[in-house]
Every structure is written in C-alpha cells, then in structure tokens.
Amino acid sequence: MHTRKIERSDWESCLNRLSKALVGKRAEVEVAGLDLGDQIEAAWLPIYGVTFDPKSDMVEISMEGLGHRIRRPQVIHIAESAEGVSSLEIVDADGRRHIVRLKDPIALPPPDRS
C-alpha cells in the first residue's frame, strides 16, 4: 500500500476523477480528533461522490442519506495499492482526520486531457 499527498492545486480535478469511479461503491467515513476521539460517521453506505469547492474551501462527501462536509481542508492523502484506491484521508484546519474507506478498491481514471 502506498499513500500519496495530493497537491492542493490538484484537489478539485483528482476528486472529480475519483467520483466518476465511485458509482455503485460503498464506503465508511470515520472522523478522528483529539476533541472527539474516533467516530464512525457512516458505515458502508453507497457513496456518490467526493468534491472540493475552492470558493467555499470545502470538501463534500456525498453518500446515501449523508452529506459530510469538511470545512477548510489542509491536506488530502490517497492510499493506493495494485488493486486501486482504497482510502482517502482529509485533514481539516482543526487537525481532525476524515477517513473515507472504500469497501472495494477502485482504479482512479486517468486525467481528462481536454
């Protein structure tokens, strides 16, 4: 397993590409922080997408029955293996880690060349 940091300038395009591959997948969202411990926000719900809006400085994780918003993200890491992307970690301005684990790894589509 290899974890790589996504540069802020690539957040929007990388998350858009990831979202295209999420159709029909399930994910778990965990939030971990010193002030709240480890909390499971969602357990293996269908996931529809992960987006970054630079204007509002927010990442949104859209799942069945849940819209998980992360304000002022600071760092995004993607964990990949030979099978594909298995998780995503977003650290917010308060130091909380928002971890999205995919039930089954997905291949990240290539960048759009248009």
Side-chain angles (χ1 to χ4, degrees):
M1 177 100 39
H2 169 71
T3 302
R4 68 181 169 103
K5 179 181 177 183
I6 307 302
E7 294 302 321
R8 187 175 186 93
S9 60
D10 296 329
W11 286 2
E12 189 172 12
S13 63
C14 181
L15 295 179
N16 286 342
R17 287 185 10 245
L18 180 66
S19 290
K20 291 177 183 177
L22 290 174
V23 176
K25 300 296 182 181
R26 291 184 173 269
E28 172 182 79
V29 176
E30 176 184 354
V31 181
L34 292 175
D35 60 336
L36 48 96
D38 290 353
Q39 307 279 326
I40 300 296
E41 182 82 14
W44 308 121
L45 295 175
I47 185 166
Y48 303 129
V50 181
T51 58
F52 173 64
D53 180 2
K55 290 182 183 177
S56 63
D57 195 21
M58 186 180 334
V59 170
E60 183 167 2
I61 302 162
S62 300
M63 302 177 81
E64 186 173 280
L66 175 72
H68 182 77
R69 292 184 178 103
I70 304 163
R71 289 173 175 72
R72 298 184 346 244
Q74 302 298 302
V75 179
I76 297 179
H77 288 102
I78 289 184
E80 298 174 290
S81 67
E83 292 83 36
V85 175
S86 59
S87 68
L88 174 67
E89 179 186 73
I90 303 153
V91 180
D92 67 21
D94 296 322
R96 290 188 191 109
R97 294 176 26 232
H98 303 257
I99 303 159
V100 180
R101 289 185 189 87
L102 301 174
K103 193 162 187 100
D104 301 306
I106 59 170
L108 189 59
D112 188 10
R113 300 288 180 198
S114 55

